[in-house]
Amino acid sequence: MADVIAQAREWIAHDPDAATRAELSEIADRAEQGDEAALADLASRFSGPLMFGTAGLRAAVGAGESRMNVAVVTRATAGVAAYLADTIGPGARVVVGCDARYGSDEFMDAACEVLTAAGAEVLALPKKLPTPVTAYTVRALDCECGIMVTASHNPPADNGYKVYLGGRAADEDGRGVQIVPPADAEIAARIAAAPPADEVPRSAEGIQQVDQAVVDAYVDRVSSRRGTTEPSGIRIVLTPMHGVGGATCERALHAAGFADVHLVPEQAEPDPDFPTVAFPNPEEPGAIDLALELARRIDADVVIALDPDADRCSMAVPLTDGTWRQLTGDEIGAVLGEQAAADDSRSGDALANSIVSGRLLSRIAAAHGLKHAATLTGFKWIARTPGIRFGYEEAIGYCTDPDAVHDKDGVGAAIRVATLVHDLKSQGKTVEDLLDDLARAHGFFASAPLSFRVSDLSLIADGMARLRADGIPSLAGSPVVEARDLAKGSPELGPTDGLLYLTEADDRVIVRPSGTEPKLKCYLEVVLPCEDGVVPRAAAAERLERIRADVTAALGF
């Protein structure tokens, strides 16, 4: 008890933010008086420094070394500044942006002031903009680094900190992509060596405010992806999920010729409380219910849903029976992948997706004479694929113009989705028709997620340990013929904490801890032939349910 209280008192003494000093002092006082809940709270807040995960630093906003706060952001930025100075010398150009979450404004200000005091050339974007605008600016303005304050689709209590490298700090394949080893470890070492937060120099002098022109240039680039500005008659329902993508995406759609766009009014403006959704992620059950309600009312052609920082994009389409269906991340990846593969005007000769995403994209690439790569999870790996034309991850992230945004881009994906729906409608076809065509050409690939959200992270470690010890002998009655521990790595993939199971029937399951949330995630996929041209949806759904039960039993959850 005494150790964590002393650690908290030391942190308080060096915290430059009066609000988090007061917050932590009150908890430490109660802990000293024997309050067990306060002591447990302190232990959580000092469970270790934040580390770079799948998508940067992420944690709940609050006081302490294991939370997101001004002190943590100050020291993290001091580490980034030291890394840039040590690797490329003085005067690195760094762009900084933020979303609309709690703490984002203050964290962005702290990052800018630390960087400029360290001698960097700091470009501050207008606040409350999509993450893809920051990623775009890294390449467009030849920056050595980009910092984005965002927790993407995490719960409302969270915030985060993403780091991109570019310019002289990265090679061509990594320019404008989030950091990977060894850069992440080298930055982490410099964060650990940074002085206490109140001793890190800060200055507001010399920060350059980036004007609206860079946002305009991004919108121009994104809207040009349609290839024409001819007016489209399709009707679009758009929800930014209480995030920062609404205005930018609506502008881009209008500029591309899609005038009939209807924002979901309850979710149109940024709101860090995300009041209409349980979790601000378009994948979560119920998250797009308001959008679907509006789409039915106005007879829309497509629903497009962005996550709060607009780097992810989901879609839903009407069916012939009048109902609506939200596509899975893999289905969107397949139709956008086919769109990209068939478009010879695009640069690049490779399609890429993460290993936990579906395998259909590899078949699509082969059919078009393109290369395919399966990468580790996260766009920091996907976007690094040499010659990438299109990349995706099943968690609704899509890179559709890597020359401009070398990362996932929900606004850019929205333009591609709208273009696809328009083009298919002009041919008398639907997105469902395209999915059926792909199934008949390559087999019916059906995937489904199975996630376990926990409050005790040890449950995830226990589940992984149980699988490593006992394995899974069969899935849906088919024997497992390959069981691979991804932590051991391979010539194609570096090591990652995950387990892969492949059955004799060519069903596949991958189990891994989430890198962004307290979840154990399982990725289920079955492949069935289309006999006599019939797409076996019901058989695939039944098989996925059997696999879901088998995996749940093996985990002991």
Side-chain angles (χ1 to χ4, degrees):
M1 180 180 81
D3 286 350
V4 73
I5 292 174
Q7 194 175 1
R9 295 294 185 196
E10 178 69 12
W11 186 271
I12 292 165
H14 293 287
D15 189 340
D17 186 334
T20 45
R21 283 200 308 272
E23 175 188 348
L24 198 57
S25 295
E26 189 271 334
I27 299 168
D29 289 345
R30 288 193 289 112
E32 282 185 327
Q33 295 164 11
D35 186 323
E36 292 295 328
L39 186 59
D41 192 4
L42 276 190
S44 172
R45 291 167 184 266
F46 290 91
S47 57
L50 297 182
M51 302 300 290
F52 288 101
T54 302
L57 308 176
R58 285 192 193 173
V61 175
E65 72 167 0
S66 308
R67 300 286 189 269
M68 280 295 296
N69 50 66
V70 170
V72 164
V73 169
T74 297
R75 297 188 72 247
T77 309
V80 172
Y83 171 82
L84 293 171
D86 291 345
T87 54
I88 66 169
R93 176 179 289 185
V94 185
V95 60
V96 185
C98 75
D99 66 10
R101 284 178 175 264
Y102 286 114
S104 287
D105 280 16
E106 297 87 346
F107 300 163
M108 178 176 170
D109 290 343
C112 288
E113 291 174 12
V114 170
L115 287 162
T116 195
E121 179 187 357
V122 179
L123 309 180
L125 285 167
K127 291 179 176 177
K128 300 181 181 179
L129 282 177
T131 291
V133 175
T134 301
Y136 168 82
T137 307
V138 172
R139 290 175 69 88
L141 299 186
D142 197 24
C143 298
E144 274 74 44
C145 180
I147 293 172
M148 180 67 189
V149 177
T150 180
S152 191
H153 60 286
N154 272 40
D158 290 359
N159 212 324
Y161 183 101
K162 292 182 178 181
V163 179
Y164 299 86
L165 293 180
R168 294 170 292 159
D171 61 18
E172 182 53 39
D173 290 332
R175 200 157 287 136
V177 187
Q178 292 180 56
I179 56 173
V180 296
D184 54 358
E186 293 174 7
I187 291 172
R190 287 164 174 83
I191 295 171
D198 63 336
E199 297 175 14
V200 174
R202 290 176 57 171
S203 173
E205 296 295 324
I207 297 172
Q208 302 175 42
Q209 300 297 324
V210 179
D211 63 24
Q212 189 66 26
V214 73
V215 183
D216 295 342
Y218 168 78
V219 169
D220 288 346
R221 175 69 187 226
V222 166
S223 63
S224 72
R225 293 170 181 171
R226 184 184 170 208
T228 179
T229 57
E230 177 187 344
S232 169
I234 70 165
R235 181 167 295 162
I236 299 168
V237 167
L238 171 66
T239 174
M241 206 68 62
H242 299 293
V244 294
T248 304
C249 191
E250 186 178 33
R251 274 189 65 198
L253 286 165
H254 286 169
F258 300 104
D260 199 353
V261 179
H262 301 258
L263 278 164
V264 176
E266 301 92 334
Q267 299 174 335
E269 295 302 318
D271 187 335
D273 289 318
F274 306 105
T276 68
V277 291
F279 290 97
N281 181 349
E283 295 179 291
E284 293 284 343
I288 68 165
D289 282 358
L290 288 172
L292 292 174
E293 181 182 321
L294 176 58
R296 294 186 193 100
R297 193 162 66 245
I298 67 172
D299 194 24
D301 293 290
V302 65
V303 166
I304 296 174
L306 307 177
D307 74 338
D309 71 326
D311 66 349
R312 300 178 188 227
C313 176
S314 187
M315 67 180 291
V317 294
L319 305 181
T320 54
D321 63 2
T323 61
W324 279 74
R325 187 174 79 85
Q326 184 175 9
L327 274 63
T328 68
D330 281 322
E331 288 175 321
I332 301 169
V335 295
L336 293 185
E338 174 67 22
Q339 180 192 53
D343 185 355
D344 290 336
S345 70
R346 299 199 203 181
S347 63
D349 61 354
L351 309 183
N353 57 334
S354 59
I355 189 174
V356 298
S357 301
R359 291 169 287 171
L360 177 54
L361 191 68
S362 65
R363 305 278 182 92
I364 291 170
H368 288 273
L370 299 173
K371 300 173 185 175
H372 176 263
T375 75
L376 293 176
T377 304
F379 257 87
K380 62 186 181 181
W381 299 109
I382 297 167
R384 278 184 160 75
T385 301
I388 185 170
R389 177 184 294 191
F390 168 79
Y392 92 92
E393 60 184 0
E394 53 74 42
I396 60 171
Y398 307 96
C399 176
T400 69
D401 183 9
D403 289 342
V405 179
H406 220 49
D407 194 20
K408 57 184 178 288
D409 179 356
V411 180
I415 298 296
R416 299 291 195 193
V417 164
T419 301
L420 180 70
V421 171
H422 169 90
D423 290 348
L424 287 170
K425 188 174 183 178
S426 68
Q427 300 165 27
K429 300 178 69 174
T430 67
V431 174
E432 292 286 301
D433 292 333
L434 176 56
L435 285 168
D436 286 352
D437 289 344
L438 291 173
R440 295 184 186 104
H442 307 296
F444 182 53
F445 287 73
S447 60
L450 173 62
S451 296
F452 301 93
R453 187 180 291 272
V454 301
S455 55
D456 180 359
L457 290 177
S458 69
L459 294 174
I460 292 177
D462 291 346
M464 293 295 290
R466 189 174 299 113
L467 283 186
R468 284 191 166 99
D470 301 335
I472 302 179
S474 66
L475 292 165
S478 180
V480 169
V481 294
E482 180 183 355
R484 195 191 321 169
D485 189 341
L486 301 178
K488 296 178 181 178
S490 70
E492 299 81 24
L493 292 173
T496 186
D497 187 9
L499 298 165
L500 182 151
Y501 300 93
L502 188 67
T503 73
E504 193 173 78
D506 205 23
D507 301 329
R508 190 189 70 172
V509 168
I510 296 176
V511 183
R512 62 177 281 273
S514 170
T516 58
E517 300 176 87
K519 281 183 177 181
L520 183 65
K521 303 183 77 172
C522 309
Y523 307 84
L524 321 179
E525 184 182 44
V526 301
V527 187
L528 295 174
C530 294
E531 296 177 358
D532 299 321
V534 178
V535 180
R537 285 193 174 83
E542 186 272 338
R543 192 165 187 82
L544 285 169
E545 282 303 313
R546 292 175 63 192
I547 292 174
R548 186 189 302 268
D550 289 342
V551 173
T552 301
L555 283 165
F557 283 4

